Amino acid sequence: MMMRLTACMLMASLLLVSATPAMAQDLERQEIIVTGSRIDQDDYSDYQPAVGLRRQADFLVQQVVIRGDTRDSEEREREIRAMLLRAIERAGSAGVELAQGTYIVTRLTPQNAAELELVGDRRPDSELVSFLIKAPLAGTNVQEAQRRIAAFVEGVPEVGRAQMDTVGDPTLSIVGPDSYRDAIIAEVAADSRRQAALVGADYAIELAGLNMPVQWTRAGPGEVLLFIPYELRVVPRP
């Protein structure tokens, strides 16, 4: 039988990591939720240096649910899934994308929508399905992206007793964080040269840890900071 979770348990489960180690290692093209830390995935040190690459995120991401409380369980599932398909069909014309995932984000399509599980909601005869709505940030700002998502949620027609709601605050995603490694190292090298000039000719700068994987954190309303957990040491010249 399908496990039924309470709404609180569902929210907690969305914070858990589901990616395999192989997926976590191939991040030159994958889209990543910024709050899904690579540290959590791969057990790396959480030391964050002062220097990294700050850039605009690729998407604003909002978790949503479609919930239904029709008494008959088969009709309830039919209504929820029919509304989900309506949402998928309308996403492109509304300037948003539908996706799934808590760490690595994948596009939601009519073909893979059936893979989303219905879970228990607040009452024994109610269920919901959870997924993501993404609005691109290129050429716009967070406020406009939020308005686009809100208009989309409001505009998808309900099916029977099924309805769509947002859950929690939006977050950010970035595509291919590992592809920025060279740019991050260039920032670190430039900072090291500045530090070397400040400390004078009697000292040298040593860098360690640049072989570590790229990590990320949120740096502002629509920005992320990509960094490598390197160490910089000032040592006397021999």
Side-chain angles (χ1 to χ4, degrees), residues 148-204:
R148 191 179 301 175
I149 290 172
F152 175 76
V153 171
E154 183 68 23
V156 177
E158 297 179 355
V159 179
R161 295 182 61 84
Q163 61 182 28
M164 188 186 306
D165 299 299
T166 60
V167 177
D169 296 325
T171 185
L172 305 172
S173 71
I174 186 167
V175 178
D178 279 357
S179 65
Y180 296 97
R181 168 176 289 278
D182 289 351
I184 297 169
I185 292 176
E187 293 287 338
V188 173
D191 178 72
S192 298
R193 288 191 292 270
R194 288 191 294 269
Q195 299 299 323
L198 289 172
V199 298
D202 292 335
Y203 295 90

XYZ file of all heavy atoms in Angstrom, residues 148-204:
416
model
N 4.804 36.091 -12.451
C 4.505 35.137 -13.516
C 4.062 33.791 -12.935
O 3.096 33.186 -13.419
C 5.744 34.964 -14.394
C 5.482 34.196 -15.679
C 6.747 34.086 -16.493
N 7.285 35.401 -16.849
C 8.431 35.587 -17.468
N 9.189 34.549 -17.785
N 8.841 36.803 -17.779
N 4.753 33.347 -11.898
C 4.380 32.079 -11.265
C 2.998 32.183 -10.624
O 2.155 31.285 -10.764
C 5.446 31.662 -10.229
C 6.741 31.255 -10.937
C 4.937 30.515 -9.357
C 7.908 31.002 -10.006
N 2.745 33.279 -9.911
C 1.447 33.454 -9.245
C 0.316 33.486 -10.264
O -0.761 32.886 -10.039
C 1.456 34.734 -8.411
N 0.519 34.179 -11.388
C -0.515 34.248 -12.416
C -0.774 32.872 -13.024
O -1.925 32.517 -13.328
C -0.102 35.239 -13.505
N 0.298 32.093 -13.182
C 0.129 30.749 -13.729
C -0.680 29.870 -12.775
O -1.619 29.172 -13.203
C 1.492 30.117 -13.996
C 1.409 28.690 -14.446
C 1.029 28.382 -15.744
C 1.707 27.656 -13.576
C 0.941 27.059 -16.163
C 1.625 26.337 -13.979
C 1.243 26.033 -15.275
N -0.324 29.891 -11.496
C -1.045 29.069 -10.510
C -2.528 29.449 -10.484
O -3.413 28.584 -10.417
C -0.412 29.235 -9.109
C -1.277 28.569 -8.037
C 0.999 28.652 -9.096
N -2.806 30.730 -10.552
C -4.184 31.208 -10.522
C -4.937 30.847 -11.796
O -6.158 30.633 -11.778
C -4.191 32.728 -10.337
C -5.566 33.343 -10.211
C -6.274 32.961 -8.932
O -5.583 32.587 -7.952
O -7.525 33.033 -8.904
N -4.219 30.743 -12.916
C -4.886 30.581 -14.201
C -5.155 29.157 -14.642
O -5.905 28.951 -15.602
N -4.556 28.166 -13.978
C -4.805 26.776 -14.389
C -6.207 26.368 -13.920
O -6.504 26.427 -12.719
C -3.751 25.819 -13.802
C -4.081 24.371 -14.178
C -2.361 26.186 -14.306
N -7.099 25.953 -14.824
C -8.461 25.597 -14.421
C -8.476 24.396 -13.470
O -7.741 23.427 -13.655
C -9.147 25.252 -15.743
C -8.303 25.883 -16.799
C -6.907 25.854 -16.276
N -9.327 24.488 -12.468
C -9.474 23.373 -11.542
C -10.245 22.241 -12.209
O -11.037 22.462 -13.125
C -10.195 23.841 -10.276
C -9.415 24.889 -9.501
C -10.147 25.370 -8.260
O -11.310 24.958 -8.062
O -9.561 26.179 -7.506
N -10.007 21.040 -11.742
C -10.717 19.860 -12.232
C -11.444 19.240 -11.047
O -10.802 18.766 -10.099
C -9.762 18.825 -12.858
C -10.551 17.603 -13.328
C -8.989 19.449 -14.016
N -12.769 19.261 -11.079
C -13.527 18.749 -9.942
C -13.180 19.512 -8.679
O -13.245 20.737 -8.629
N -12.741 18.778 -7.657
C -12.365 19.387 -6.388
C -10.850 19.567 -6.251
O -10.356 19.902 -5.174
C -12.920 18.554 -5.224
C -14.448 18.538 -5.169
C -14.942 17.738 -3.966
N -14.493 18.315 -2.702
C -15.109 19.321 -2.075
N -16.183 19.889 -2.632
N -14.660 19.772 -0.918
N -10.106 19.329 -7.323
C -8.656 19.511 -7.290
C -8.331 20.995 -7.408
O -8.975 21.741 -8.154
C -7.997 18.738 -8.418
N -7.319 21.434 -6.681
C -6.872 22.824 -6.753
C -5.380 22.900 -6.507
O -4.793 22.047 -5.842
C -7.618 23.689 -5.735
C -7.418 23.290 -4.294
C -8.215 24.152 -3.321
O -9.264 24.685 -3.670
N -7.711 24.293 -2.113
N -4.757 23.961 -7.051
C -3.316 24.130 -6.954
C -2.979 25.238 -5.962
O -3.620 26.290 -5.957
C -2.721 24.480 -8.320
C -1.198 24.480 -8.351
S -0.498 25.073 -9.936
C -1.341 24.014 -11.091
N -1.952 25.005 -5.121
C -1.511 25.985 -4.131
C 0.005 26.018 -4.088
O 0.671 24.995 -4.300
C -2.035 25.630 -2.729
C -3.546 25.597 -2.657
O -4.170 26.635 -2.918
O -4.102 24.523 -2.349
N 0.557 27.195 -3.775
C 1.995 27.292 -3.542
C 2.312 26.825 -2.125
O 1.470 26.887 -1.228
C 2.489 28.732 -3.730
O 1.810 29.588 -2.805
C 2.240 29.203 -5.152
N 3.547 26.380 -1.919
C 3.998 25.888 -0.614
C 5.333 26.550 -0.285
O 6.316 26.389 -1.007
C 4.173 24.350 -0.608
C 4.709 23.880 0.750
C 2.854 23.663 -0.926
N 5.375 27.297 0.814
C 6.626 27.891 1.259
C 7.104 29.018 0.364
O 6.385 29.505 -0.517
N 8.338 29.440 0.601
C 8.942 30.535 -0.151
C 9.668 30.007 -1.378
O 10.162 28.875 -1.382
C 9.936 31.294 0.735
C 9.262 31.976 1.912
O 8.120 32.449 1.737
O 9.874 32.026 3.001
N 9.782 30.817 -2.428
C 10.534 30.375 -3.603
C 12.024 30.297 -3.315
O 12.530 30.934 -2.385
C 10.228 31.460 -4.641
C 9.885 32.670 -3.833
C 9.212 32.152 -2.590
N 12.714 29.520 -4.118
C 14.164 29.432 -4.027
C 14.740 29.626 -5.430
O 14.041 30.080 -6.342
C 14.599 28.099 -3.407
O 16.016 28.097 -3.221
C 14.207 26.915 -4.274
N 16.004 29.304 -5.612
C 16.691 29.530 -6.873
C 17.274 28.218 -7.398
O 17.468 27.265 -6.645
C 17.828 30.539 -6.687
C 17.453 31.895 -6.083
C 18.718 32.694 -5.775
C 16.532 32.674 -7.011
N 17.557 28.215 -8.685
C 18.308 27.092 -9.254
C 19.343 27.626 -10.222
O 19.220 28.735 -10.748
C 17.375 26.101 -9.964
O 16.873 26.655 -11.166
N 20.366 26.814 -10.444
C 21.430 27.176 -11.379
C 21.768 25.948 -12.220
O 21.769 24.817 -11.721
C 22.685 27.698 -10.644
C 23.705 28.205 -11.647
C 23.269 26.658 -9.706
C 24.811 29.023 -11.010
N 22.023 26.178 -13.487
C 22.319 25.091 -14.412
C 23.831 24.925 -14.538
O 24.552 25.883 -14.803
C 21.701 25.372 -15.797
C 22.060 24.262 -16.778
C 20.187 25.521 -15.687
N 24.306 23.692 -14.335
C 25.718 23.365 -14.558
C 26.705 24.083 -13.674
O 27.621 24.737 -14.188
N 26.587 23.993 -12.348
C 27.530 24.715 -11.485
C 28.993 24.336 -11.712
O 29.872 25.197 -11.605
C 27.073 24.352 -10.068
C 26.250 23.114 -10.212
C 25.613 23.218 -11.561
N 29.263 23.094 -12.054
C 30.654 22.689 -12.263
C 31.276 23.343 -13.494
O 32.505 23.401 -13.615
C 30.747 21.163 -12.398
C 30.735 20.465 -11.051
O 30.708 21.171 -10.027
O 30.724 19.223 -11.018
N 30.447 23.835 -14.420
C 30.986 24.470 -15.629
C 31.634 25.814 -15.320
O 32.320 26.384 -16.183
C 29.879 24.656 -16.663
O 28.894 25.573 -16.210
N 31.448 26.326 -14.101
C 32.024 27.615 -13.715
C 33.348 27.472 -12.972
O 33.862 28.451 -12.433
C 31.030 28.389 -12.839
C 29.769 28.758 -13.574
C 28.626 27.978 -13.452
C 29.716 29.870 -14.394
C 27.458 28.299 -14.137
C 28.555 30.216 -15.080
C 27.431 29.416 -14.944
O 26.277 29.731 -15.623
N 33.914 26.278 -12.935
C 35.150 26.053 -12.173
C 36.265 26.993 -12.605
O 36.925 27.624 -11.761
C 35.590 24.595 -12.314
C 37.006 24.320 -11.802
C 37.361 22.853 -11.881
N 36.596 22.124 -10.889
C 36.933 22.031 -9.591
N 38.042 22.645 -9.157
N 36.212 21.359 -8.752
N 36.521 27.106 -13.897
C 37.626 27.948 -14.365
C 37.409 29.408 -13.973
O 38.360 30.102 -13.581
C 37.779 27.830 -15.880
C 38.331 26.476 -16.313
O 38.749 25.696 -15.431
O 38.341 26.206 -17.529
N 36.173 29.885 -14.074
C 35.885 31.274 -13.722
C 36.092 31.506 -12.230
O 36.571 32.566 -11.809
C 34.461 31.630 -14.128
N 35.732 30.520 -11.407
C 35.939 30.644 -9.964
C 37.430 30.699 -9.646
O 37.893 31.544 -8.859
C 35.278 29.467 -9.221
C 33.762 29.484 -9.424
C 35.601 29.514 -7.723
C 33.068 28.216 -8.959
N 38.207 29.810 -10.246
C 39.651 29.784 -10.000
C 40.289 31.094 -10.453
O 41.223 31.604 -9.811
C 40.290 28.569 -10.688
C 39.810 27.278 -10.007
C 41.809 28.654 -10.655
C 40.295 26.002 -10.656
N 39.782 31.684 -11.555
C 40.303 32.970 -12.006
C 40.060 34.053 -10.958
O 40.933 34.904 -10.717
C 39.656 33.363 -13.332
N 38.907 34.029 -10.300
C 38.620 34.985 -9.222
C 39.565 34.772 -8.041
O 40.066 35.730 -7.443
C 37.172 34.841 -8.764
C 36.127 35.255 -9.784
C 36.063 36.757 -9.954
O 36.482 37.491 -9.036
O 35.575 37.212 -11.013
N 39.799 33.496 -7.703
C 40.701 33.179 -6.597
C 42.124 33.646 -6.921
O 42.817 34.229 -6.070
C 40.681 31.667 -6.308
C 41.749 31.298 -5.277
C 39.301 31.242 -5.807
N 42.565 33.404 -8.142
C 43.930 33.801 -8.545
C 44.093 35.317 -8.493
O 45.119 35.828 -8.027
C 44.221 33.271 -9.947
N 43.066 36.043 -8.958
C 43.146 37.507 -8.933
C 43.220 38.017 -7.492
O 43.996 38.936 -7.177
C 41.949 38.108 -9.652
N 42.437 37.422 -6.606
C 42.472 37.829 -5.198
C 43.828 37.497 -4.578
O 44.354 38.277 -3.776
C 41.361 37.120 -4.430
C 41.380 37.454 -2.948
O 41.031 38.593 -2.586
O 41.767 36.564 -2.147
N 44.400 36.353 -4.944
C 45.699 35.963 -4.398
C 46.793 36.949 -4.812
O 47.669 37.291 -4.013
C 46.058 34.547 -4.875
O 45.104 33.620 -4.412
N 46.721 37.409 -6.060
C 47.711 38.399 -6.508
C 47.569 39.702 -5.714
O 48.570 40.333 -5.350
C 47.552 38.655 -8.008
C 48.028 37.491 -8.886
C 48.113 37.895 -10.345
N 46.786 38.147 -10.914
C 46.046 37.207 -11.499
N 46.496 35.958 -11.582
N 44.869 37.520 -12.004
N 46.340 40.097 -5.415
C 46.135 41.312 -4.613
C 46.687 41.122 -3.208
O 47.328 42.020 -2.646
C 44.646 41.659 -4.560
C 44.086 42.201 -5.875
C 42.694 42.768 -5.683
N 41.728 41.738 -5.328
C 41.010 41.064 -6.213
N 41.157 41.293 -7.524
N 40.135 40.158 -5.824
N 46.444 39.950 -2.628
C 46.949 39.677 -1.282
C 48.476 39.667 -1.260
O 49.103 40.175 -0.321
C 46.399 38.327 -0.777
C 44.889 38.248 -0.659
C 44.341 39.248 0.320
O 44.944 39.530 1.359
N 43.200 39.842 -0.014
N 49.067 39.099 -2.293
C 50.537 39.048 -2.363
C 51.119 40.456 -2.422
O 52.154 40.744 -1.793
C 50.964 38.232 -3.578
N 50.475 41.352 -3.159
C 50.976 42.725 -3.251
C 50.875 43.440 -1.909
O 51.731 44.264 -1.563
C 50.195 43.483 -4.324
N 49.823 43.102 -1.133
C 49.620 43.764 0.155
C 50.634 43.311 1.209
O 51.115 44.117 2.010
C 48.204 43.504 0.668
C 47.070 44.218 -0.079
C 45.717 43.724 0.405
C 47.180 45.731 0.128
N 50.965 42.027 1.214
C 51.841 41.518 2.279
C 53.315 41.802 2.000
O 54.153 41.732 2.900
C 51.620 40.003 2.506
C 50.203 39.731 2.961
C 51.945 39.197 1.253
N 53.653 42.106 0.748
C 55.033 42.491 0.457
C 55.890 41.349 -0.050
O 55.515 40.169 0.010
N 57.085 41.718 -0.508
C 57.965 40.755 -1.172
C 58.547 39.714 -0.231
O 59.072 38.691 -0.689
C 59.101 41.508 -1.864
N 58.482 39.923 1.096
C 59.052 38.954 2.036
C 58.131 37.757 2.271
O 58.514 36.807 2.963
C 59.337 39.629 3.378
C 60.457 40.655 3.273
O 61.292 40.515 2.358
O 60.487 41.590 4.093
N 56.940 37.811 1.713
C 55.965 36.741 1.951
C 55.415 36.217 0.621
O 55.434 36.905 -0.399
C 54.803 37.242 2.819
C 55.234 37.626 4.216
C 55.649 38.925 4.491
C 55.243 36.692 5.241
C 56.055 39.283 5.762
C 55.653 37.039 6.514
C 56.059 38.328 6.773
O 56.466 38.679 8.031
N 54.917 35.000 0.682
C 54.325 34.367 -0.499
C 52.929 33.852 -0.141
O 52.611 33.633 1.038
C 55.202 33.214 -0.987
